[in-house]
Amino acid sequence: MGTLSTVKLPLESFTNNGDDIRGQLMVIGGQMKAPLVVPLLRMLMYVSLAMSIMLFVEKVYMSFVVGFKKLFGKKTEKRYKWESFKDDIELGNSAYPLVLVQIPMFNEREVYQLSIGAACGLSWPSDRIVIQVLDDSTDPVIKGMVEMECQRWANKGINIHYQVRDNRKGYKAGALKEGLKHRYANECEYVVIFDADFQPDADFLWQTIPFLHHNSELGLVQARWKFVNSNDCLMTRMQEMSLDYHFKVEQESGSSSHAFFGFNGTAGVWRMVALNEAGGWKDRTTVEDMDLAVRASLKGWKFLYLGSVKVKNELPSSFKAYRYQQHRWSCGPANLFRKMVFEIMTNKRVTVWKKMHVIYSFFFVRKVVAHIVTFILYCVVIPATVLVPEVMVPKWGTIYIPIIITLLNAVGTPRSIHLVAYWILFENVMSLHRTKATLIGLFEAQRVNEWVVTEKHGDASKAKTATKQSKNLGFKLSERLLMLEFSVGIILFICASYDFVHGNYYYYIYLYLQALAFIIIGVGYVGTDTPNS
């Protein structure tokens, strides 16, 4: 008994000490909550709401511009002169401008034939068009196949040049810049750019070149993208919703009101003089296309978006490829904003109104605020208020503004309106990845210049076959597990459960769904083949 009692006393003492420690931690937490946690969370809430209002105003403004033009105004392209080219007996084909078509590619085994074939099939006088394939491939087998394809078209009488270089400096921008150094390229008046998965219709040049030919102030004509694999899976459907909004609203409003928008890097025609005057291609960021567009705009050149001209292309059908693409598209603009903000402010060739549009609307709100506010408000502030009920987000910030913004985004793709709930949850998850990339760009942190070429499949049926094969082979969870997304999902699940037991705002309904979305994506179960709805 004496021995037992000597053991029991330390155990009781340990238990009591544990209770004391927990009690002390709760007291310390309670003491820190009022003077520190509550004010910080409240400040974060006010900042998030302010950014939410900025984004809301920007979305409403762009939608109003597009809606007003459609209802009461004439189409943007009607403001510019357009006349079809007419044959001239004396001048012959020299009456047509010389056009260069550039196709940059990198190990594009699945799509090189599609893109080269589509470019060689463009309808234009054969002696007034030059096709230039810029192959940065590192796989000698693919390199050989691309060269043979170019030779095959050359044997058919197509003026096609296969160009390679001994390095990948500057990635796509470096390839395009190197391609323009050739004498035959400098003789061209216009340059058209198609990424390796883009397949223009035969009449693409007939629809676009006349705008540049008859309107000397235009430096760029941008066509719209049409997605050939949007029905592959739920992820591609949601990508389609976001990109349709980008083209139908953002590009259209920029073209209508300011004659400025970001060049999409492909399916566009540049006036060679405008491209050279802007300083040509630069590789200082991963958005060389946007960089060129901003510099050309600061030189006074105007841009035209043609929503009626659509070019077929492919959406990323794997989540890994989509993440790499979104990192580049989020990090690059933020980094370019950092590099160019003072250059834009001090520019004397454009109006103050246009400079404000580029700095505030184009860069700050759409490329910085839009990513950060989505994650901070919906995935940080709202869940945190469950644990800190002293801070309450107003209803207009949690319901009214988000609903309006969502509807404005979804209206661009009416056929997918029933998927809007999935789209919201998916975009909120992606906002974590985009916020991280945006901050990397703003502070020029590691991975700021990371460039991973988006994987392409070329044929939807091939993509589905590859997906099914990968399913049969199985996968390692460690290769697909995204710890950051998975961890956020667990935290949101805990917040949802706490709100279910102790809360009064019914946030748990949203939080459980958002937690599930984070966890599903965190374990890599996204971007897989599913039946079409």
Side-chain angles (χ1 to χ4, degrees):
M1 293 297 291
T3 304
L4 289 174
S5 62
T6 56
V7 176
K8 186 176 181 181
L9 287 174
L11 287 174
E12 290 178 348
S13 176
F14 178 80
T15 304
N16 291 334
N17 287 338
D19 292 338
D20 291 341
I21 292 172
R22 283 195 295 270
Q24 290 174 3
L25 289 174
M26 291 179 66
V27 170
I28 294 172
Q31 290 175 344
M32 292 178 60
K33 186 176 181 180
L36 183 62
V37 177
V38 173
L40 284 176
L41 181 58
R42 187 170 284 124
M43 181 183 69
L44 191 60
M45 179 193 69
Y46 288 143
V47 172
S48 300
L49 289 176
M51 290 193 295
S52 184
I53 292 172
M54 293 164 63
L55 182 61
F56 170 76
V57 171
E58 180 69 14
K59 297 270 187 184
V60 171
Y61 165 74
M62 290 189 294
S63 299
F64 174 78
V65 170
V66 174
F68 184 84
K69 287 290 181 181
K70 289 186 179 295
L71 292 175
F72 304 106
K74 55 185 180 181
K75 292 183 178 180
T76 305
E77 53 264 37
K78 297 296 183 181
R79 295 186 301 174
Y80 297 99
K81 181 180 179 182
W82 188 95
E83 288 182 5
S84 59
F85 288 94
K86 298 178 181 178
D87 293 334
D88 190 305
I89 298 177
E90 295 183 359
L91 296 176
N93 284 346
S94 61
Y96 297 86
L98 190 58
V99 179
L100 173 68
V101 179
Q102 290 185 307
I103 311 174
M105 56 177 57
F106 175 75
N107 293 338
E108 307 288 1
R109 179 189 296 270
E110 304 295 343
V111 296
Y112 74 93
Q113 287 181 309
L114 294 174
S115 58
I116 294 174
C120 293
L122 289 169
S123 174
W124 199 253
S126 59
D127 59 339
R128 306 302 291 170
I129 183 173
V130 183
I131 311 296
Q132 186 184 64
V133 177
L134 304 168
D135 190 10
D136 272 0
S137 298
T138 53
D139 187 327
V141 176
I142 298 176
K143 225 171 189 176
M145 293 191 304
V146 175
E147 185 175 12
M148 287 180 59
E149 182 69 10
C150 292
Q151 186 58 51
R152 188 172 73 85
W153 283 101
N155 293 337
K156 294 182 178 181
I158 300 297
N159 187 0
I160 185 170
H161 296 260
Y162 176 72
Q163 307 288 174
V164 297
R165 52 184 184 148
D166 58 5
N167 62 79
R168 286 196 70 210
K169 184 180 183 299
Y171 303 110
K172 179 181 174 181
L176 293 170
K177 183 177 182 178
E178 193 70 24
L180 294 179
K181 292 181 179 179
H182 298 278
R183 182 181 59 80
Y184 67 84
N186 289 321
E187 294 174 353
C188 295
E189 190 173 346
Y190 306 110
V191 55
V192 191
I193 301 161
F194 295 114
D195 280 353
D197 58 315
F198 277 69
Q199 305 164 51
D201 290 337
D203 63 348
F204 178 86
L205 298 179
W206 295 110
Q207 296 186 69
T208 54
I209 296 293
F211 282 107
L212 291 162
H213 189 72
H214 296 296
N215 301 276
S216 59
E217 71 273 27
L218 285 179
L220 165 70
V221 173
Q222 172 72 59
R224 185 180 164 187
W225 299 358
K226 180 181 179 181
F227 313 110
V228 297
N229 65 329
S230 58
N231 288 325
D232 268 13
C233 62
L234 186 59
M235 190 186 75
T236 54
R237 290 287 292 270
M238 291 184 289
Q239 287 181 68
E240 181 190 37
M241 291 177 68
S242 298
L243 287 170
D244 276 352
Y245 175 82
H246 167 70
F247 284 105
K248 290 184 178 181
V249 179
E250 291 182 343
Q251 299 285 83
E252 186 66 58
S253 65
S255 179
S256 300
S257 56
H258 302 282
F260 168 77
F261 48 83
F263 173 46
N264 293 313
T266 178
V269 188
W270 277 96
R271 187 186 299 275
M272 195 72 80
V273 173
L275 192 153
N276 291 331
E277 188 180 335
W281 295 102
K282 294 185 178 181
D283 59 3
R284 55 182 174 175
T285 69
T286 56
V287 283
E288 73 294 322
D289 42 15
M290 187 181 295
D291 189 349
L292 175 61
V294 174
R295 286 185 280 114
S297 178
L298 294 180
K299 293 293 183 180
W301 291 100
K302 295 181 179 180
F303 306 157
L304 173 63
Y305 166 69
L306 290 178
S308 58
V309 181
K310 301 177 182 179
V311 181
K312 292 185 293 185
N313 71 294
E314 181 182 333
L315 292 164
S317 55
S318 74
F319 189 60
K320 181 179 179 181
Y322 183 61
R323 274 173 59 86
Y324 279 127
Q325 182 200 70
Q326 291 303 297
H327 173 85
R328 189 171 74 247
W329 286 6
S330 302
C331 178
N335 191 233
L336 182 62
F337 178 50
R338 170 194 171 106
K339 294 178 183 298
M340 292 202 68
V341 61
F342 292 110
E343 181 182 345
I344 298 169
M345 290 172 61
T346 56
N347 182 275
K348 297 181 179 179
R349 294 191 61 173
V350 297
T351 64
V352 174
W353 175 245
K354 189 167 186 175
K355 286 192 285 187
M356 286 297 297
H357 168 72
V358 175
I359 292 174
Y360 175 78
S361 297
F362 180 77
F363 273 118
F364 185 63
V365 177
R366 299 186 213 168
K367 311 302 180 186
V368 178
V369 167
H371 302 321
I372 294 177
V373 70
T374 302
F375 176 68
I376 297 297
L377 181 58
Y378 304 116
C379 302
V380 176
V381 172
I382 291 178
T385 58
V386 169
L387 306 177
V388 187
E390 292 88 343
V391 180
M392 185 176 69
V393 183
K395 187 177 292 186
W396 58 263
T398 59
I399 299 178
Y400 303 139
I401 284 183
I403 286 177
I404 295 174
I405 290 177
T406 300
L407 291 176
L408 291 176
N409 275 281
V411 74
T413 314
R415 81 183 188 96
S416 298
I417 195 73
H418 62 289
L419 300 175
V420 70
Y422 297 101
W423 179 82
I424 293 171
L425 297 174
F426 181 72
E427 285 294 299
N428 286 352
V429 175
M430 287 304 303
S431 69
L432 169 61
H433 185 65
R434 293 177 183 135
T435 296
K436 184 173 66 173
T438 300
L439 295 177
I440 288 173
L442 286 175
F443 296 103
E444 288 199 331
Q446 193 176 8
R447 292 184 63 197
V448 67
N449 289 318
E450 179 184 76
W451 183 288
V452 178
V453 177
T454 305
E455 180 186 7
K456 307 172 187 75
H457 295 288
D459 189 320
S461 60
K462 290 182 182 179
K464 291 180 179 180
T465 302
T467 303
K468 290 176 181 177
Q469 288 175 348
S470 66
K471 282 182 181 178
N472 293 332
L473 293 173
F475 65 88
K476 295 181 180 179
L477 182 61
S478 60
E479 295 177 356
R480 297 180 63 169
L481 182 64
L482 304 172
M483 278 305 301
L484 190 56
E485 281 81 354
F486 184 78
S487 300
V488 171
I490 296 299
I491 293 171
L492 291 177
F493 185 84
I494 293 172
C495 292
S497 300
Y498 184 89
D499 186 58
F500 179 75
V501 176
H502 302 288
N504 299 314
Y505 307 124
Y506 298 100
Y507 286 160
Y508 65 84
I509 299 174
Y510 156 72
L511 292 175
Y512 273 133
L513 292 173
Q514 192 63 71
L516 184 62
F518 267 100
I519 292 171
I520 288 174
I521 290 178
V523 297
Y525 194 73
V526 67
T528 55
D529 185 29
T530 57
N532 295 335
S533 58

